[in-house]
Amino acid sequence: MANSLIIDSSTESSSKPYEQKRFELIEPIVVGVIIAAIFLLRSLSGLMQVGAINDDGVYTVLGKAIANGSGYISLHLANHPVQEKFPPGFPLILAVLWKIAGSVQGVQHLVGLIHPVVIGVTSALLYWIGRTRLGAERSLVWVFVLLPLVFDASIQYYTIPLSEPWLMLAWAVVLAVLERSERTSPTNRVLLVAAAGITASFAVLVRSQGVVLMPAVVVALAGRRFSRWDRGTAVGLMLVPLLIWHFYHSAIVARGPLSQLPDEASYGSWAIGGSGAVKFILASAASNVSTYVRWIGFYLSAISSVGIIAAALLIGGMIIGSFAVLRRQPLIGVSSLGGMLIVILWPYAQDRLLLSVMPFGGLAAALWLTPAIMRSSPRARRALVYGMAIGVALVLMRQADIRDEGLAGLPPSRTRAPFSPTWLLLVNSRFIVTASTMVRTRTHPSDRLMIDNHSGIYLYTGRVTTPVSPAESQIRMSVFAQPGHYLASRILRDSLNYVIVAALTHPSADVPKPGIVRDVELIRNRCPGVLTVPGSDQAVLMVHRDELCLDRMVRD
């Protein structure tokens, strides 16, 4: 019965009046234009520095290396190691922008203009699929699909050089193309499934998370409407580009050099074995779910309890909806479930990862809930729509508050947790501006530095860098587990001239000391004279190599 309440456009499309068909095409375009305009008007990317979130800096450095012919290497790191972790799709896009703009500021500006368009097209495609093709209730599409896209966090993350907008666009294109292919001639169907295969491959090459599309496409093509030729074409075009990249990348990784930094290693190295692995992963997943509910709750309401309940309902609806539509819409169900699962099992929680999956889980939720709304009385339906409209208005007002808090520089606290991405990005951007000015005036271009936001510092100063505190997997032992080892090994391996640790100038008895601060204190005690303060700034340490002492610390 529920299935019959979803519009079957294969039987109705031919009988629809021309004006109705035109409106159904115009409506998604209008939605896309509105979302793109919101991104352009609300983005603060012009105030950001590339490297404020690190990944954006690494992507941009890779694009620069490709554009200038250096290869697939990390120019910002000592010895210019091969990049093992990030796939090539987004760096190639950035390489084109480097060719056009010629500077990091120019690339940043182009990204700030292009990404709103990418998100706008994604929004239009999702609206077209959900509302026009599959008949989902309009208000549900706005709440579950479009609302997460206009969170302040989404706007600020996806207008800087990050790969999620392109993953989302590729994902939406695959959904739209395969949905259309079920209602066309056999000749056109082959072309459409071929486009879906190539686009799914592009999604994986843009972001590894896109791998969820591969099993989803295979499951979707298992239907009787698709021939063996259709399936073979799609699967072949999915696999060939990935295999070509795999063999090429494996060859350059084998030649090296490779970085020893934990956040530069391939994703495969993050896995752990042993009898405790499953227990640890499940505990990490439970922690991630709790973190994501609190994070999204913070974006939904200033009242913590209200936000957490709303976030649990929103995310829970997406997960349940993905299960509910598996049979009717396997492509949507499998891909959204896979996307949610990867985000939950990821070694550490990042809200931008969940935000990129939510519109697709929201599409599943909208399709799941539409039959229930269709069966309700007109009065109940009207009340529900008005209630959701009020809820959307309150959430949009909350986004304005979050943005204002970030601009005002309000830090996270026990009463305002977690933090606004706007706050974090602006704080890191201010650090990059201040530190880059100091680095350019006080160091030589050949000097090598250990510093926070290291990829951004390289882009604005040209100095080779090493991170003060590398991003680490929660399921692996920390590089700071053995005090002094990380800093001593980096001084020796990277031939560092300066160590710049902002945390040294902000001691607090109430906050545990970062691992790098303990490393600095230990080296000062065990290897006197290795780290000295050349001026009045206690955060800037000059390195005087004592290889025998440092080597003993590394070996201990």
Side-chain angles (χ1 to χ4, degrees), residues 99-114:
K99 288 288 189 181
I100 295 171
S103 68
V104 62
Q105 293 87 354
V107 170
Q108 177 191 24
H109 181 67
L110 288 176
V111 167
L113 294 175
I114 294 171

Side-chain angles (χ1 to χ4, degrees), residues 450 468 479-491 499 501 504 513-526 531 541 550 553:
M450 173 179 280
V468 165
V479 294
F480 297 109
Q482 183 180 347
H485 183 274
Y486 175 70
L487 179 54
S489 64
R490 298 304 355 142
I491 291 174
V499 175
V501 184
L504 289 172
K513 293 180 179 179
I516 190 63
V517 174
R518 297 197 304 270
D519 278 14
V520 168
E521 292 176 348
L522 186 61
I523 289 178
R524 279 177 155 175
N525 290 331
R526 293 182 56 179
L531 299 174
L541 305 172
L550 292 172
M553 291 192 67

Side-chain angles (χ1 to χ4, degrees), residues 1-7 327-328 370-372 374-376:
M1 175 66 179
N3 291 359
S4 64
L5 295 173
I6 299 293
I7 296 174
R327 184 175 180 181
R328 187 171 68 243
T370 291
M374 292 288 197
R375 287 194 296 266
S376 63

Side-chain angles (χ1 to χ4, degrees), residues 44-80:
L44 297 171
S45 63
L47 301 178
M48 311 294 185
Q49 299 294 298
V50 179
I53 203 171
N54 190 58
D55 282 7
D56 59 328
V58 177
Y59 278 125
T60 306
V61 171
L62 271 174
K64 180 179 181 180
I66 296 170
N68 66 23
S70 298
Y72 205 69
I73 61 175
S74 297
L75 291 172
H76 62 300
L77 298 177
N79 304 316
H80 300 334

